Amino acid sequence: MNTVKGIIKKQLFFILTFLFIVLGGGLGGWLISSGQNMPNPVSNIIIDDFSTKKANSPGNFKWSLVVDSEKSGRAKDKIEVLKNQDKSYLHIKRAVSSVDKWSIVGARTGLANYGQGIRTSAYEGVYLRAKGIPGQWNVGLWIEDEQGDVKLYQASIELKNQWQEIQVPFRRFRGLSVKRQQDSPELIHLGSVVTRQNKTVEIFLDEIGFYKERKMFNKLTPEETRVIINKGTERPFSGKYNDHYEKGIYTCKRCGAELFESDTKFKSECGWPSFDEQIEGAVKWQLDADGVRTEILCNQCGAHLGHVFLGEGLTDKNTRYCVNSVSMDFKLAQQKQTEAAIFASGCFWGTEYHFQKVPGVISTTVGYTGGHVDNPTYKQVCTDKTGHAEAVEVVYDPSKTNYEQLAKLFFETHDFTQLNRQGPDIGTQYRSAIFYMNDEQKETAMKLVNELEKKGYNVKTEITKAGKFWPAEEYHQEYYEKTGKSPYCHIYRKIF
């Protein structure tokens, strides 16, 4: 899980930006964090709902038009607040006579009512209610980190000509550029990339803000409060999980987030539960108040867990998470409700198309994996230099389908005898590959390859252990469902 902890300050400007250009590129990076400490909000934040009476929003904001262009011809710009019965919304329009390179129109407003700023880690993402010219749009955030640098993060959305509620989770945002704080104020903006044939941009925005979906924190006893909130320590050998070795997952007492799997727990004789590995992204490290030790906290709610120690040689991982029992709950291991698989078979649009139609598949995400560059963009992957493959992460219900059925569909919907290509798409990013999550998936994949080779096929499919999967830009997600088109080189043929 990726947690956003940047600070959006009172000098923040909100910008709606629309770009008229001939060609567009991919976006890359992930939203990073800031260490500043601010109180959590208790509900969503409404940046603006454009109503004349602001009873349920932070204040009244004045908007100003922002335009810029290069060889875009004559332009007519408009920004206004329109009213329809009891509703008000922002209307922005720009029309240009020609587009040789690019043109921008936008709107901005200061958010001085937020005092010290907005801690985005307390929210899940940006929400808006909008309509406009159909097509691909971008949402951008300027976030200040703890070094005082300001970085632009951007995510894509699909806009339609009917009103729609859109949520853009922070995990979709990718980093673009960095500027020193004194050089650029923090910004939040929306933008669109269009072709020169589309010379008019128009959007209607009804409401925009940050949304929050987290559950309320659990009620704590006085002893739990002493440890979890006030960073106390329970007596050694007194905790109920010190000698506890059932199969399952240890969770945060305060918010319920999963922290440690039971198979990472070991007996250290220190008097507190010890683990040598956290669930990825679940636990935050920071310097303790004593200036010597390293404190560990729940990455979702900030609950104090204990401390982490390195170099003791107690396990192969050489790490000991020393955790207070009182900071945790425990869930017994149960049959998984969902499982995941990752397949690569050329252009991920076509791969996703077929998996989406399988009964029992809960969700699909196109992205990049198997490479050596963090947070790759589509543009970077297309250079064939990052080592990534275009891939699809499939989440499914094992009671309705299984890994072998999905793997068979994978082979039956692409040409696995081609090396580093699929049809007209050439390069290692288009290779045929199975990225297995566990030994059982690996054995299944190898069994199917063996069956295919017995049938006379020269299988070029790579079978390798799954690494970090980076979701692709939003405009790649569910591409054929959005466009109504069909795959050009992923055609089903029965083999098994």
Side-chain angles (χ1 to χ4, degrees):
M1 181 183 68
N2 290 287
T3 304
V4 177
K5 287 180 257 180
I7 302 296
I8 300 181
K9 292 191 171 181
K10 64 181 180 180
Q11 296 301 319
L12 168 73
F13 291 91
F14 177 80
I15 298 226
L16 290 154
T17 310
F18 309 93
L19 305 172
F20 296 78
I21 64 175
V22 178
L23 297 174
L27 308 177
W30 284 96
L31 207 56
I32 58 177
S33 65
S34 168
Q36 298 200 36
N37 199 8
M38 297 176 60
N40 282 316
V42 295
S43 62
N44 295 351
I45 279 186
I46 300 174
I47 300 301
D48 211 337
D49 63 5
F50 310 103
S51 62
T52 55
K53 296 180 179 180
K54 295 283 186 176
N56 297 317
S57 61
N60 294 293
F61 301 104
K62 295 181 179 179
W63 292 73
S64 60
L65 187 70
V66 178
V67 294
D68 195 5
S69 62
E70 183 174 343
K71 296 184 179 180
S72 61
R74 292 174 298 172
K76 294 182 179 180
D77 308 310
K78 178 184 291 186
I79 180 170
E80 57 187 345
V81 175
L82 299 178
K83 297 180 181 180
N84 182 7
Q85 297 179 346
D86 60 341
K87 290 293 296 180
S88 299
Y89 46 85
L90 186 69
H91 173 228
I92 302 174
K93 184 176 181 179
R94 166 164 256 215
V96 296
S97 60
S98 65
V99 183
D100 292 332
K101 289 192 177 180
W102 52 266
S103 182
I104 299 173
V105 61
R108 68 169 56 170
T109 184
L111 301 184
N113 285 17
Y114 286 106
Q116 290 181 306
I118 301 168
R119 189 177 69 171
T120 55
S121 60
Y123 298 92
E124 306 299 329
V126 176
Y127 78 89
L128 59 154
R129 185 173 187 270
K131 68 176 182 178
I133 293 179
Q136 202 64 48
W137 294 72
N138 298 316
V139 180
L141 292 168
W142 285 92
I143 304 291
E144 179 192 345
D145 65 20
E146 57 191 359
Q147 284 76 41
D149 289 335
V150 177
K151 188 169 185 177
L152 172 62
Y153 298 87
Q154 197 154 290
S156 299
I157 62 172
E158 191 77 18
L159 198 64
K160 300 179 181 179
N161 55 17
Q162 296 90 23
W163 287 110
Q164 57 181 329
E165 306 283 343
I166 303 172
Q167 288 188 343
V168 191
F170 286 132
R171 60 184 170 83
R172 292 288 190 194
F173 284 77
R174 297 177 178 273
L176 294 183
S177 60
V178 178
K179 293 184 178 180
R180 291 296 304 174
Q181 183 177 352
Q182 58 265 31
D183 296 331
S184 173
E186 298 84 281
L187 301 172
I188 176 172
H189 67 260
L190 294 177
S192 177
V193 179
V194 298
T195 65
R196 68 174 68 185
Q197 283 74 32
N198 189 353
K199 299 174 184 176
T200 300
V201 166
E202 185 174 36
I203 189 171
F204 301 88
L205 185 64
D206 178 47
E207 184 173 292
I208 188 162
F210 296 103
Y211 70 91
K212 178 184 177 73
E213 292 183 343
R214 292 196 180 100
K215 299 177 182 179
M216 295 295 291
F217 293 149
N218 296 320
K219 186 176 181 180
L220 303 179
T221 66
E223 172 62 9
E224 291 166 349
T225 299
R226 183 185 73 83
V227 175
I228 294 171
I229 304 301
N230 299 325
K231 302 182 185 296
T233 302
E234 65 188 6
R235 290 183 296 107
F237 301 101
S238 66
K240 64 179 179 179
Y241 297 129
N242 184 46
D243 291 318
H244 179 267
Y245 293 98
E246 292 186 83
K247 293 291 185 182
I249 294 178
Y250 294 86
T251 63
C252 175
K253 170 72 77 172
R254 190 184 188 207
C255 71
E258 296 183 348
L259 303 174
F260 305 98
E261 294 182 354
S262 59
D263 59 6
T264 67
K265 191 173 188 291
F266 67 96
K267 198 172 186 67
S268 68
E269 304 295 348
C270 70
W272 293 273
S274 298
F275 306 84
D276 65 2
E277 187 177 12
Q278 60 167 297
I279 292 175
E280 184 177 359
V283 177
K284 175 185 175 182
W285 297 18
Q286 70 178 29
L287 186 64
D288 192 87
D290 63 17
V292 177
R293 295 177 298 171
T294 300
E295 181 188 6
I296 52 176
L297 306 97
C298 171
N299 206 10
Q300 179 162 294
C301 70
H304 174 74
L305 303 176
H307 296 85
V308 64
F309 302 92
L310 305 176
E312 297 176 326
L314 298 176
T315 71
D316 291 340
K317 295 185 176 71
N318 215 14
T319 302
R320 176 169 62 94
Y321 291 88
C322 183
V323 187
N324 292 287
S325 290
V326 76
S327 296
M328 299 185 295
D329 275 328
F330 180 76
K331 309 191 290 190
L332 279 172
Q334 298 177 350
Q335 183 178 3
K336 290 184 178 179
Q337 300 299 310
T338 64
E339 293 183 4
I342 299 176
F343 301 101
S345 61
C347 174
F348 46 25
W349 296 345
T351 309
E352 180 183 48
Y353 174 86
H354 289 284
F355 283 120
Q356 284 180 317
K357 299 179 180 298
V358 177
V361 168
I362 298 169
S363 66
T364 57
T365 303
V366 300
Y368 317 110
T369 193
H372 53 79
V373 175
D374 287 348
N375 310 322
T377 67
Y378 179 66
K379 185 175 181 180
Q380 288 175 313
V381 172
C382 284
T383 66
D384 198 11
K385 295 179 180 179
T386 69
H388 292 89
E390 289 194 13
V392 177
E393 182 183 59
V394 182
V395 177
Y396 62 95
D397 182 345
S399 69
K400 297 180 180 179
T401 188
N402 59 50
Y403 184 78
E404 183 167 339
Q405 290 175 329
L406 296 175
K408 285 181 177 180
L409 180 64
F410 160 77
F411 283 113
E412 292 176 332
T413 52
H414 80 291
D415 187 353
F416 49 82
T417 66
Q418 291 190 324
L419 180 64
N420 297 332
R421 68 176 296 173
Q422 276 300 297
D425 298 325
I426 301 173
T428 59
Q429 69 270 32
Y430 299 115
R431 64 187 180 270
S432 174
I434 293 177
F435 297 92
Y436 60 86
M437 303 283 198
N438 51 50
D439 290 340
E440 183 180 351
Q441 289 187 357
K442 180 181 179 181
E443 291 172 4
T444 300
M446 294 179 69
K447 182 187 78 170
L448 294 179
V449 168
N450 187 49
E451 289 183 26
L452 291 169
E453 289 175 340
K454 287 181 179 179
K455 293 177 182 287
Y457 291 102
N458 183 14
V459 181
K460 301 295 185 182
T461 302
E462 166 190 318
I463 299 176
T464 187
K465 187 175 182 179
K468 180 70 175 180
F469 180 86
W470 305 97
E473 296 81 351
E474 183 64 27
Y475 67 90
H476 287 301
Q477 307 298 330
E478 301 179 335
Y479 177 82
Y480 285 122
E481 183 176 327
K482 291 175 180 176
T483 62
K485 299 177 182 179
S486 299
Y488 55 86
C489 63
H490 287 77
I491 309 300
Y492 176 80
R493 69 199 189 287
K494 185 170 179 60
I495 298 177
F496 296 98

